[in-house]
Amino acid sequence: MQLTTIPLDKTGKFSKLILDYVSNPDELSEFIAEKVTLENFKKKLIEKKFSKEKRELLVKQLNVQYKSAGIEIPSNVSLLINENAYTVTTGHQLCLLGGPQYFIHKIISTIKLSMQLKEAFPENNFVPVFWLASEDHDFEEINDVKFFKNNLKIDENYTGPIGRLNANIFSNVIQELNEILGDSKNETEIRDLFTRAYKSGSLSKATSTWVNELFKDFGLVILDGDDIELKRSFSPIIKDELVNRKSIDAILKTSSQLKELGYNAQVKPREINLFYIENNIRERIVFENNKYSVLNTELSFSENEILELLDSNPDRFSPNAVMRPVYEEAILPNLAYIGGPGEIAYWLQLKLNFDRLKIEYPLLIVRDSFLVLNAKQVSSFVDLGFELEDVFKHENVLIKDFLRINSTEDILFEKEELLLKELKEALLKKVEGVDNSLSGMIHAEMTKMNKLFEKLESRVIKAQKSKQEVSVNKILKFRDAVVPNNIMVERQESFIPNYLKYGSEYLDWLIKYSNVFDSQLKVLV
């Protein structure tokens, strides 16, 4: 496959904050550690501090987790005991069968950056880590996967940490997947991959199993934060959050600074940024009337009681979206976090809180976005007179552009609308100061004329579309393949169709062309 790139700002699918961050991070310097350059990675390597005790605990718990899941322990795990080993981390919810393609793209970006850092700094080791967001409780967000116009999901609800959910709940989805797939080599591989993974055990185990199977040859290490010993090591910060409740002040201050620069806050901090988890419960902890209460339950604690619970059962405490990054960085020798646009947006709200807690802040990297396209479709679209990046325009704009180029008549009313505007201005000037009611009449009548032009143009375009039906349908079909429902395909469709078509080479190509130092949409044709 060949690579072409499209600037992110040409897609219309990225926020102003992310576009500004990747194009000119100096403007956001107070919200980040450093710009994403090899020179700054070198600086980070010199500054990074991570104790031997933390390394030993991390390696120990990774071994426990892999053994518990019945997965062979990657060799990269043992590297983490050494002071010259560092991590590059991404993470995601445990989406059914991986959910949208960008689940894969985040992992690919993390693996490739680790390779690039190893090449640049061969005396060190860099371990790509995938953080299982197993404590998330938004079941609706993980309970579907789309491919081949199918939407596979189950009609169930679940309120606790999704990682603890028994994967057998998705048995009907696996059966439906198997009925959709044929018997080719790649189809058999995908069928076996997910059938084995979801056969038994928790959703954390199922996700770890299939992700490991796909990426084990690339050195990926999978870490589940729902771990009692890792949380025990994090308990001083949990205690600070419970007792001092200062994170909210730091994050709101940063959010206010971002707002002054014209950016909206991605997440809203709470007074206590922790959940209580137990069995099928994951509910917010709140402090009211000198008591710690768990929302939607009868549970409440005095300060002494909740601190005793933290000491005995740290696994009952779960960080929310603004506290989880602190947890990650506290237990990993991490240099960089790779996230999607939404994630990076809320990470930019967090640096002041990291500074307050004296936790090192990582380099923040926007994951690669990929688009895998059919060469014939691309060629057909370009032959109609378009540039590839035009596909991100609204479909009505695309069709107008095509008809303007390919119609023998001037079918648009742009010249007439301009003349009408000039006439309106001339009439307004003529009656200015004579009678205010005349100005109102002119505005009303010209508005009617504009609407008439719109109706006429719409009918003319409709007639021309009928004459050019074949070409118009090609345009719409191609646009639907790239931005179905006006959303980028990587945010909707599964990676499975691409894997079925190309096999493991699909992952090889993604890794080959991944490059987070070049923030553009990567198009593979």
Side-chain angles (χ1 to χ4, degrees):
M1 300 194 86
Q2 298 299 312
L3 171 71
T4 187
T5 58
I6 296 175
L8 298 185
D9 61 354
K10 298 296 184 182
T11 68
K13 303 302 178 186
F14 294 84
S15 70
K16 180 179 184 298
L17 176 59
I18 293 303
L19 293 177
D20 289 350
Y21 177 62
V22 300
S23 63
N24 189 16
D26 287 336
E27 295 296 317
L28 293 159
S29 59
E30 63 184 302
F31 309 108
I32 63 175
E34 299 283 357
K35 289 193 293 187
V36 181
T37 65
L38 283 176
E39 187 60 33
N40 284 332
F41 269 108
K42 183 178 181 180
K43 181 180 177 182
K44 197 78 174 168
L45 286 169
I46 296 170
E47 295 174 349
K48 184 68 182 178
K49 305 293 185 228
F50 199 74
S51 70
K52 179 182 178 182
E53 291 74 22
K54 284 187 174 182
R55 289 183 180 277
E56 290 173 347
L57 176 62
L58 175 62
V59 171
K60 177 185 175 184
Q61 294 312 114
L62 281 168
N63 276 275
V64 168
Q65 291 182 17
Y66 272 92
K67 287 177 182 177
S68 177
I71 302 172
E72 184 178 351
I73 301 168
S75 59
N76 268 355
V77 169
S78 62
L79 291 179
L80 290 170
I81 201 71
N82 302 315
E83 62 180 11
N84 70 335
Y86 304 90
T87 59
V88 175
T89 304
T90 193
H92 202 69
Q93 295 164 293
L94 312 190
C95 295
L96 177 60
L97 308 185
Q101 294 169 18
Y102 70 88
F103 182 107
I104 296 293
H105 298 166
K106 294 169 82 171
I107 296 173
I108 291 290
S109 301
T110 306
I111 290 169
K112 180 59 177 288
L113 177 58
S114 299
M115 293 177 173
Q116 291 172 302
L117 293 176
K118 180 63 177 176
E119 183 176 354
F121 310 107
E123 66 278 11
N124 295 291
N125 290 308
F126 303 92
V127 178
V129 171
F130 180 68
W131 179 283
L132 293 174
S134 60
E135 295 177 81
D136 188 272
H137 64 276
D138 196 334
F139 184 72
E140 275 301 307
E141 287 193 2
I142 65 104
N143 178 32
D144 77 312
V145 60
K146 298 178 179 67
F147 66 97
F148 294 149
K149 304 301 181 183
N150 298 287
N151 185 15
L152 307 187
K153 64 182 300 182
I154 61 171
D155 295 323
E156 298 282 349
N157 198 9
Y158 183 75
T159 57
I162 55 174
R164 300 182 183 183
L165 178 65
N166 193 313
N168 277 333
I169 195 173
F170 296 110
S171 59
N172 289 343
V173 169
I174 300 302
Q175 182 178 344
E176 192 172 351
L177 172 71
N178 292 341
E179 291 170 356
I180 293 169
L181 297 177
D183 296 318
S184 71
K185 176 180 178 295
N186 294 338
E187 287 171 309
T188 299
E189 186 176 334
I190 285 291
R191 179 189 295 108
D192 291 348
L193 174 71
F194 288 118
T195 299
R196 288 196 310 273
Y198 285 81
K199 192 170 184 178
S200 63
S202 68
L203 185 57
S204 283
K205 177 182 176 182
T207 306
S208 296
T209 298
W210 73 259
V211 170
N212 177 75
E213 188 65 27
L214 282 185
F215 294 104
K216 62 184 179 181
D217 292 339
F218 301 105
L220 184 70
V221 169
I222 301 165
L223 176 61
D224 190 344
D226 189 5
D227 182 294
I228 188 169
E229 296 305 325
L230 293 178
K231 285 189 177 174
R232 194 181 305 282
S233 72
F234 188 61
S235 60
I237 293 177
I238 296 176
K239 179 179 178 181
D240 174 81
E241 187 67 12
L242 290 168
V243 176
N244 297 320
R245 302 185 290 279
K246 295 296 185 183
S247 294
I248 185 171
D249 297 331
I251 297 169
L252 286 178
K253 181 177 180 180
T254 305
S255 302
S256 178
Q257 291 171 327
L258 285 165
K259 187 174 181 179
E260 288 175 6
L261 294 173
Y263 307 116
N264 294 323
Q266 185 75 13
V267 291
K268 180 181 178 181
R270 304 287 187 177
E271 183 183 20
I272 296 176
N273 293 284
L274 298 167
F275 289 94
Y276 177 92
I277 58 175
E278 183 180 13
N279 300 324
N280 292 337
I281 297 173
R282 188 181 190 242
E283 296 285 353
R284 280 177 50 212
I285 299 172
V286 297
F287 185 71
E288 297 173 337
N289 302 318
N290 290 319
K291 283 277 189 178
Y292 294 88
S293 301
V294 179
L295 291 182
N296 302 314
T297 75
E298 299 297 321
L299 295 170
S300 67
F301 310 90
S302 67
E303 182 174 297
N304 285 338
E305 288 170 339
I306 203 165
L307 294 180
E308 286 175 4
L309 181 65
L310 174 60
D311 187 56
S312 61
N313 295 93
D315 54 325
R316 301 275 180 91
F317 297 85
S318 175
N320 72 357
V322 301
M323 190 55 62
R324 188 190 65 249
V326 179
Y327 181 31
E328 291 172 0
E329 298 305 312
I331 65 172
L332 288 168
N334 203 46
L335 300 178
Y337 184 82
I338 295 179
E343 286 177 284
I344 298 304
Y346 75 69
W347 271 83
L348 289 170
Q349 295 175 243
L350 304 181
K351 186 175 185 299
L352 186 59
N353 197 41
F354 270 77
D355 293 345
R356 180 185 71 83
L357 293 167
K358 296 181 172 54
I359 301 292
E360 291 181 71
Y361 198 58
L363 298 180
L364 300 180
I365 300 176
V366 181
R367 66 165 175 83
D368 271 317
S369 288
F370 288 99
L371 186 56
V372 180
L373 296 178
N374 179 286
K376 288 184 179 179
Q377 277 188 307
V378 172
S379 178
S380 178
F381 182 72
V382 172
D383 288 345
L384 291 172
F386 294 109
E387 300 291 335
L388 182 55
E389 64 191 44
D390 291 334
V391 73
F392 291 100
K393 294 179 179 178
H394 191 279
E395 62 182 49
N396 292 339
V397 175
L398 273 177
I399 292 169
K400 278 187 178 182
D401 287 348
F402 171 74
L403 295 177
R404 181 188 289 110
I405 295 169
N406 292 278
S407 295
T408 55
E409 305 89 3
D410 184 3
I411 64 167
L412 302 182
F413 283 64
E414 293 169 342
K415 293 178 182 177
E416 289 76 11
E417 288 172 351
L418 182 60
L419 288 172
L420 185 62
K421 183 180 178 183
E422 292 174 353
L423 176 61
K424 178 181 177 180
E425 290 172 352
L427 290 172
L428 288 170
K429 187 174 182 180
K430 199 160 191 173
V431 302
E432 184 180 359
V434 177
D435 186 342
N436 289 336
S437 65
L438 294 176
S439 296
M441 183 187 301
I442 291 169
H443 281 293
E445 293 301 321
M446 291 301 171
T447 298
K448 290 179 184 178
M449 287 296 294
N450 275 321
K451 289 181 178 178
L452 175 62
F453 282 3
E454 289 174 5
K455 288 181 181 179
L456 288 171
E457 185 180 83
S458 177
R459 291 189 179 186
V460 171
I461 288 173
K462 185 177 180 180
Q464 287 295 320
K465 282 171 66 176
S466 296
K467 293 180 181 180
Q468 300 277 5
E469 184 177 4
V470 173
S471 295
V472 167
N473 286 339
K474 284 182 180 178
I475 293 168
L476 296 179
K477 184 177 180 180
F478 182 63
R479 188 179 186 280
D480 188 58
V482 177
V483 278
N485 304 313
N486 211 34
I487 301 171
M488 286 180 65
V489 68
E490 70 165 3
R491 300 196 62 83
Q492 294 191 75
E493 301 289 332
S494 168
F495 79 96
I496 292 174
N498 287 334
Y499 196 93
L500 297 181
K501 187 173 182 179
Y502 303 110
S504 60
E505 282 189 318
Y506 166 59
L507 303 180
D508 294 335
W509 284 325
L510 292 180
I511 288 176
K512 176 180 178 180
Y513 292 119
S514 173
N515 182 9
V516 295
F517 294 104
D518 180 23
S519 293
Q520 299 191 77
L521 174 63
K522 278 81 172 177
V523 184
L524 306 186
V525 182

